[in-house]
Amino acid sequence: MKLRSRMPDVRRVVCMRRRLRSFLLLLTLLTLPSALAAQTEPAEAASAEGGHLTVYLMTMGPGQLVWERFGHNAIWISDAAAGTDLAYNFGIFDFDQVDFIPRLMRGNMLYTMKPYDADATVRGYSAVDRSVWIQELNLTGAQKVALQEFLQWNALPENADYPYDYYRDNCSTRVRDALDRALDGQLTALLRATSTPESYRSQTQRLSSSDLPAYTGLLLAMGHPADQPLSAWEDSFVPMRLAAHLRDVRVVDEAGQRQPLVLSERVLYESTLPPPPAEQPRWLWWFVLAGVLMGLFFLLVGSRLGSSKQARTVFGATATLWTLAGGILGTLILLLWALTGHVFTYWNENLLQFNPLTLVLAGLIPLALFERAWASRAAATTALLAVGLSALGLVLQLAPGLDQPNGEIIALAFPAHVALAWTLVRWHQFQGERQQMRRVARRRR
């Protein structure tokens, strides 16, 4: 009985063990894919790093205001994981900033980098009729992540401000440098090795040519440092030029192959404003015409100084305004050179055409026309000195290293200086002759 009673128990235990082994085997088969996936997930995550990011260079065309003539740009990062589209903008300044005007005059302005919603940025520039286009950039996943992390760090309040330089450290060069940082210096190597026919002066004149006062003022302010030839790296201070240079760049991808940096381009808004000229404008003859007309005016009105009080009034007012304006411009040129951080205004030969000396002349001309003998002599002497300095500037055009391309300024100033000096010398001679006649008349009496 005992043997019979135990047999079913043994069979029962064996069956239970078999069922347990089957269950464990089934459980193992069911969990194996998950375990394998868990083991391969880190590798797959590493290979997919940055796959949720898309990076664009956003470029905005010129606008109508003076500081908009050179265009603008930003780095747009679309983050699918975070659901954000941010345009990192390095061109933020505020007229209400403390000491904004003094900083501007001294040449040590502060600009700020700040991220904005990309769609709102496009709408904002479109609303003021400025072209907007984007270039998708061919960065590796790791480069995209590195770029995003750097821009996020740069946007922190304690890191956002930077000392602005309109040629060497501006909104576009900051974008260029951020991209170069993510690319481990590949942009530096490629763009510095590429020369261009441009200079800071030529690009400035080209982009300001639609605004004659701004064009002339910038031409007056720039000195020899603005004439250095530019590599593509330096030429990228103009946002549109950076976009153009990147089209020719090929970078090394994850497989070690060289690929175009720009994957695609798309115009988001096209402006109705006329595009800037492709080359530096040739306005020399217009400045020649203006200078000759000013000179002819001085000669024509000056020829009647001895016979017409009205001619003396017109000549005096015009000549005083001309010399006063020239003296103020010359003083500003000198101050920019001597007392500010505006490096590209140094060694400016325009100081030979417009200088503080003519401020003295502006004060002497009215006195000379009121028949003050000492004033007419001093005015004639000062005017001849101004002609001599202007002529020196013309001669220096023949000297290597001293041939600043300021032909327009010389063409405007030199004819007027010559005609003014001629007229004042003739007036001084006329006054001397008249005084001599008066002395002879007194003796006869």
Side-chain angles (χ1 to χ4, degrees):
M1 287 293 296
K2 287 183 179 179
L3 183 61
R4 288 179 183 176
S5 64
R6 290 177 58 189
M7 286 301 292
D9 293 335
V10 171
R11 289 173 184 171
R12 207 175 285 117
V13 169
V14 171
C15 289
M16 290 178 65
R17 286 178 178 174
R18 287 176 178 173
R19 289 173 183 172
L20 181 59
R21 283 197 296 269
S22 299
F23 175 76
L24 291 174
L25 178 62
L26 179 60
L27 183 62
T28 300
L29 292 174
L30 289 174
T31 57
L32 182 60
S34 298
L36 292 174
Q39 292 177 359
T40 59
E41 186 175 343
E44 291 177 357
S47 64
E49 181 185 19
H52 59 292
L53 300 176
T54 306
V55 177
Y56 304 95
L57 173 62
M58 177 189 291
T59 305
M60 299 76 156
Q64 298 184 22
L65 300 176
V66 172
W67 57 85
E68 297 175 344
R69 301 288 183 190
F70 291 76
H72 190 46
N73 56 14
I75 298 175
W76 175 358
I77 296 185
S78 178
D79 188 336
T84 59
D85 281 277
L86 295 178
Y88 292 88
N89 187 335
F90 287 90
I92 309 303
F93 67 93
D94 185 1
F95 285 117
D96 295 327
Q97 181 187 73
V98 176
D99 291 337
F100 178 85
I101 297 300
R103 281 183 173 276
L104 173 62
M105 295 301 296
R106 293 194 303 265
N108 62 347
M109 295 176 64
L110 278 181
Y111 269 49
T112 300
M113 189 273 260
K114 189 174 181 180
Y116 292 92
D117 178 76
D119 289 336
T121 300
V122 174
R123 291 195 301 271
Y125 282 91
S126 303
V128 292
D129 198 21
R130 295 179 65 178
S131 294
V132 181
W133 70 92
I134 57 173
Q135 296 166 299
E136 183 179 351
L137 301 183
N138 186 16
L139 305 180
T140 67
Q143 289 167 347
K144 293 176 184 178
V145 171
L147 178 61
Q148 184 185 47
E149 289 177 349
F150 171 72
L151 293 174
Q152 289 172 340
W153 171 86
N154 203 166
L156 295 174
E158 62 269 26
N159 304 323
D161 292 343
Y162 69 95
Y164 179 83
D165 183 296
Y166 37 86
Y167 288 143
R168 298 174 300 181
D169 196 357
N170 67 6
C171 59
S172 187
T173 64
R174 286 268 162 165
V175 166
R176 176 203 66 193
D177 294 348
L179 295 176
D180 183 58
R181 186 179 188 277
L183 288 164
D184 298 320
Q186 293 186 72
L187 278 186
T188 304
L190 295 168
L191 296 184
R192 285 195 184 278
T194 304
S195 61
T196 76
E198 304 296 344
S199 66
Y200 290 122
R201 183 188 300 276
S202 68
Q203 291 288 35
T204 301
Q205 290 180 306
R206 179 177 71 86
L207 293 167
S208 64
S209 60
S210 61
D211 186 336
L212 186 57
Y215 175 92
T216 306
L218 290 168
L219 184 60
L220 273 167
M222 289 184 291
H224 275 280
D227 298 319
Q228 66 183 58
L230 303 182
S231 67
W233 174 264
E234 295 158 329
D235 189 46
S236 296
F237 85 95
V238 178
M240 295 81 75
R241 298 297 297 157
L242 175 61
H245 291 312
L246 292 191
R247 294 186 185 110
D248 299 325
V249 169
R250 299 177 73 83
V251 293
V252 178
D253 64 11
E254 292 171 311
Q257 303 295 319
R258 286 204 170 272
Q259 301 291 340
L261 176 58
V262 177
L263 288 174
S264 63
E265 295 195 41
R266 187 155 46 104
V267 176
L268 302 183
Y269 176 79
E270 188 166 358
S271 173
T272 60
L273 298 174
E279 297 181 353
Q280 182 179 344
R282 302 287 183 248
W283 281 6
L284 175 61
W285 292 109
W286 290 105
F287 280 86
V288 170
L289 178 61
V292 169
L293 288 176
M294 179 64 73
L296 288 175
F297 175 83
F298 285 149
L299 291 175
L300 179 63
V301 179
S303 66
R304 303 182 60 195
L305 293 183
S307 59
S308 170
K309 185 177 180 179
Q310 184 179 10
R312 286 199 297 273
T313 301
V314 172
F315 177 86
T318 307
T320 300
L321 286 174
W322 167 260
T323 52
L324 181 63
I328 291 172
L329 290 173
T331 302
L332 290 175
I333 291 170
L334 182 60
L335 292 176
L336 284 170
W337 180 350
L339 300 178
T340 75
H342 293 284
V343 175
F344 294 92
T345 66
Y346 297 173
W347 301 104
N348 191 345
E349 293 179 23
N350 288 325
L351 193 58
L352 296 172
Q353 307 305 321
F354 297 104
N355 53 74
L357 181 64
T358 56
L359 286 177
V360 177
L361 189 55
L364 290 172
I365 288 173
L367 295 174
L369 295 177
F370 278 110
E371 301 186 20
R372 302 291 193 273
W374 67 268
S376 67
R377 183 185 305 107
T381 303
T382 306
L384 287 172
L385 286 173
V387 169
L389 291 173
S390 184
L392 176 61
L394 179 59
V395 172
L396 287 177
Q397 293 294 299
L398 304 176
L402 295 174
D403 52 346
Q404 178 177 320
N406 61 337
E408 291 101 330
I409 301 303
I410 296 174
L412 176 65
F414 185 68
H417 285 322
V418 170
L420 182 59
W422 174 266
T423 302
L424 290 175
V425 168
R426 291 292 297 164
W427 173 248
H428 175 59
Q429 292 174 345
F430 173 77
Q431 283 191 309
E433 292 170 358
R434 188 158 59 178
Q435 286 180 353
Q436 182 65 25
M437 291 174 63
R438 287 173 180 169
R439 283 196 290 269
V440 171
R442 289 195 197 100
R443 289 173 188 170
R444 287 178 179 176
R445 289 177 189 170

